[in-house]
Each structure stands twice: as structure tokens, then as C-alpha cells.
Amino acid sequence: MTMKKEAPELAERSSSNPKKPHHIKPHRPTLSPFSFYSPKLSFYILSACVALFVILHIQTLQTDQNPTSSSWSLKHQWQRVTNTTTTTTATMAEKLRQAVTFLPLKDLRYAGPAALQGHTWFMSSMYDKQDEEGGVQYQQFPSPSSHGRLLCLKGRDNHDGSWNSYALAFPEALPHNTTLMKGLTFVSYNHYNYDNIWHGLSAVVPFVSWHIKSSCAVPDRWVLYHWGEIRARMGVWLGSLMEATFSGAPRVEVFDDVEEGRAVCFEKAVVMRHNEGGMSREKRLEVYDQMRCKARLYCNVSWDEENYKNTHSVTKRIGVTLFMRTGPRSFKNDTAVIGIFERECAKVDGCRLMVAYSNNLTFCDQVKVMSLTDILVSPHGAQLTNMFLMNRNSSVMEFFPKGWLKLAGVGQFVYHWIASWSGMRHKGAWRDPDGDTCLYGEDDRRCMSIYKHGKIGHNETYFAEWTRNVIDEVKTRKIEEAKMATPSSNGCSCI
């Protein structure tokens, strides 16, 4: 039997209400969001997104090429800021350049007595630096104390230091038409000169001290001033010593290649104004040890010294050197003086006498003679400066003409001082009581012009006894040093 199929809406009936009124609207199922999904619709949506992305990308590229775009505006604004900054920097540099002020190297305010009361004529507005007590006093450019500024010099007058000048300038704002010299420059100020070996040595000692403490830095050039006046050279002896010490001949700069009136600035500069006066004895000993060591290496004295040591035992070897002068402050009778020392030396086993004249020896000749000298005998004079080339604890005997003790001032004691500073033993001085007569009276300072260049006589009895005592003392000291058996290092601080 065939059954009649009911409509879906009529098939759903409530069990509690089997008879539903016909006026109630039929129920329809709720549609979910996924009911609209279809692969075709997804494809359309994806295509629209890709098209939109392409359109936006093309528009962006066109905008970047458009001068009126916001991106170009930002670039333009940044360029304006950069140009403004560059212009401001250039303006500031020009103002700093124009603010550089040159002052005279020789400050005339400190003429006369003021120069002797702690002031200096040279670069008077500057202050020195001292890293440690007893250390060298110096100025360095650039440095924190110079606020990073370089030292600049102008002028090359060799007669009046007030015509030469100095200034400080920032590296980015050097004066117009300035010559910048690369490397390290030593600038030296000396009250006296660079030809006299004592005064010249006193001026360069601080530079050697700075060289040791600064990892053995070597100068590319030297600029030499005497009371602010430029000097073109060092004396031969001093130049040779500096060549040995710094392993190269000193180049003295006089600015010949610089147009008159134009400034020269230095990439690095070290300035010394006070010679070795402010240094402690320990610091000076360090410097003299270094110069002695380097001078012996430079002159190759080791063969002579070793040959002599092999001929004589250490305790008996005593070298006595008469270092003679000619002209002012020479002995009146060289032959008689030499005879006295020959006789006394001959009485001691191992004693050898050498007679040398300082005016006919090269620098290396003097180094070799001093390396074999235990007792240096010489009139007062610059040749005594060579004493620091002897071994430490060697002895010095000094002789003066008449009148020096009363009238010569403290300068007569410089070789007593250098003996102490270099580790030597100054065994006193003999002063001739006889000499030329002064018309003004012996105590008048005008007499020094006569006594200064006087000649020296001799006293055979005094000289003989004095020589015996010094030789005996040296012999005793050598025996004591040999017993201690503590060899000292002769190595150079800087090689």
C-alpha cells in the first residue's frame, strides 16, 4: 500500500501539543556564517585584495618620484638642517680662527730683576706641568691643559725675541696660510747658548727625561731659542750627544721654507723653559745614566774598555786623566803639573796616567777617554762637563785661577753640582792664591774681568799629597766594591 509522504513542516510536531493550530507560522532553521562560503567567492575576494595591493604600490612609487610628495619634503628639510649645521660650524671655525692671538715670545715686562724672581721671558702666559715631585717641568701641546689646542709660532728673528711670537689654536681653526708640521717638535728655551757644552747640556737634560718617561718618544725636529731669539744650530759636542741619545742627528728647524709673517703650527710639541734646575737628583741620575750608556754605544767604546780591564785587575786598575786646557784658565806650566801626577801615579800598581787636551778631541774621543777614567784632573771650564761619561763614583779634582772664590758667584760651583747629579765624587778644588794684580782692589767686582781669564799656577807639595789621597781612596773603594760582588746594570733605558 502506498503511503502519502508528509511535508517536512508538517512532520515536526510537539509531543505535548499534537494538534497545532493552522494560523501559527511554520518554523525555519537558522543559517550559520559558513553558509555563505564557496570557493568561487573566496577567489573573487583574493583577486580584489591583490589588485588593491598593486594599485597602492604603484601609487607609492609615483609619490616617491613626485617633488611635491611628503617624503621629498622630509628629505629637503633634512638637507636644509645639514646645510645650516655646516654653515654654523664653518662660521664658528672662522670666529675661532680670527680669535687666535699671537703674543711676543720675549715678554719685556719681565726684564731685569723680575726675570730672576721666578718669572721667565719666554711664553710668559703659559704654565708648566710637572707629573711628579722632582720630575721635569714642561708644556705639551695638544693636552688637556691646552684644551686640545696646538702650539703655533711666528717669526724667525735671531736678534730680538720680542719680534717672535706664539699662540694656541684649535686643529680645526688654525690661522689662515698656516704651515702645519707633522710629528713631534721639541721647543727649547735657554738663558745662555747651545755652543757651550755645559749650558747646552743643561738645556737638553729635561728633554731626555721626558723622552725616558714617554716610552722613548723621539723628536722629528728641534726649535732652539735663546731669550726668544731663534738659533740655527747646536754645538758639535752637544749635537753628537743628542744624536747618540735619540739615535739620530737632531734636525734644527729655523723656518727658512716658511714665508715671512706666516705662522707655523705643530701637530705635537713639547716645550722646556727651566733647564734641569727643577729636577730632583734621582731624576737627573736617570738622565745622565741614559746619556752615558747611549754615548758609549754610539762611540763603540766597549773594545777599549774590555782590553784595558783584561790587562789590569778590577781592584788595581786606576785611570787618572789630566784634561788640559789652552788659553784662559790653563796651567801656566803644563810640564810641571804633568810631572807631579806622573810621579804619584807611578807609585801605585795598576795606575795609568793619560794626558788629553779637550780642544783637539772629537766627541767620541772624549767618550773613550772618560770611559777609562777613574780620576779626572782639570781646570775649571766647560770640558769638565764630560765627567758624567765616566763610571759612577769616579772622582773629580778641579783647579781655579786667582780671585774666583770671592767674585765669581755661584756659577763657579756648577761642576761640583754636576758631579753630584751624575753620580760622581767631587774631591774639592785648588784655588791659586797668586795671579795678576787688579788696580781696583781684589774685592772689587770689576776685577773679575781680569781674573776670569787668568792662568793657573801649581803647588808641587799640595798637588802631590792631594793626588796620593785621592788615588788611595779610589783604590780602597774599588776593593770594597769588588767584595760586595753586586754588579750594576749598564743597560740603556731606551735603545
Side-chain angles (χ1 to χ4, degrees), residues 375-431:
I375 302 172
L376 179 61
V377 181
S378 184
H380 176 84
Q383 77 286 344
L384 272 169
T385 308
N386 284 281
M387 71 172 72
F388 77 88
L389 297 168
M390 300 188 292
N391 291 330
R392 274 211 200 183
N393 290 319
S394 296
S395 299
V396 180
M397 302 169 67
E398 189 175 6
F399 299 80
F400 285 89
K402 175 186 174 181
W404 274 63
L405 182 60
K406 291 182 178 180
L407 302 176
V410 296
Q412 64 188 297
F413 301 110
V414 293
Y415 300 109
H416 195 128
W417 301 338
I418 192 176
S420 173
W421 299 337
S422 60
M424 307 304 158
R425 301 184 179 203
H426 195 281
K427 306 309 296 181
W430 185 79
R431 300 174 183 276

Side-chain angles (χ1 to χ4, degrees), residues 3-7:
M3 295 182 66
K4 187 177 180 180
K5 190 175 181 179
E6 297 182 15

Side-chain angles (χ1 to χ4, degrees), residues 403-412 438 440-452:
W404 274 63
L405 182 60
K406 291 182 178 180
L407 302 176
V410 296
Q412 64 188 297
C438 179
Y440 306 109
E442 294 186 353
D443 294 337
D444 194 303
R445 295 198 62 84
R446 289 175 291 179
C447 294
M448 190 59 200
S449 60
I450 297 173
Y451 298 148
K452 181 177 181 179

Side-chain angles (χ1 to χ4, degrees), residues 193-195 224 230-238 252 254:
N193 60 61
Y194 299 91
D195 293 310
L224 308 178
I230 199 164
R231 292 293 178 261
R233 59 181 292 276
M234 295 180 181
V236 175
W237 184 94
L238 183 63
V252 179
V254 292

Side-chain angles (χ1 to χ4, degrees), residues 52-62:
L52 181 62
F53 175 79
V54 171
I55 292 171
L56 291 174
H57 187 64
I58 294 173
Q59 187 177 6
T60 300
L61 291 175
Q62 291 175 344

